[in-house]
């Protein structure tokens, strides 16, 4: 499944050089394809692979966030989504 955030359409040059970026959808405004049915807030972490393609991971509720860029980070999705 390919996820194309609207920001990527505005600045495509930025995303092909960023090894990791996050999208926090705390209002669950995204598509049901990504948020489920019923929609639930989520944290999306995108990692740039060796082929220049972003791989997406989705975190909700008590899921522990996994970030190769910040391996010492000790957060669960709920901590970010409840801010």
């Amino acid at each position: 499944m390919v996820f194309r955030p609207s920001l990527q359409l505005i600045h495509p040059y930025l995303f092909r050089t960023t090894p990791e970026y996050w999208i926090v959808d705390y209002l669950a405004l995204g598509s049901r394809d990504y948020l489920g049915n019923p929609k639930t807030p989520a944290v999306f972490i995108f990692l740039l692979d060796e082929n220049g393609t972003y791989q997406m991971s989705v975190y909700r509720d008590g899921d522990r966030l996994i970030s190769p860029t910040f391996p010492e980070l000790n957060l669960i999705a709920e901590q970010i989504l409840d801010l």
Side-chain angles (χ1 to χ4, degrees), residues 4 31 47 53 55-56:
R4 300 217 184 273
S31 168
L47 298 173
T53 303
Q55 302 302 315
M56 176 182 75

Side-chain angles (χ1 to χ4, degrees), residues 41-63:
V43 177
F44 299 90
I45 297 180
F46 295 84
L47 298 173
L48 189 61
D49 68 16
E50 61 278 349
N51 297 319
T53 303
Y54 282 100
Q55 302 302 315
M56 176 182 75
S57 297
V58 182
Y59 302 91
R60 295 178 177 87
D61 303 319
D63 296 341

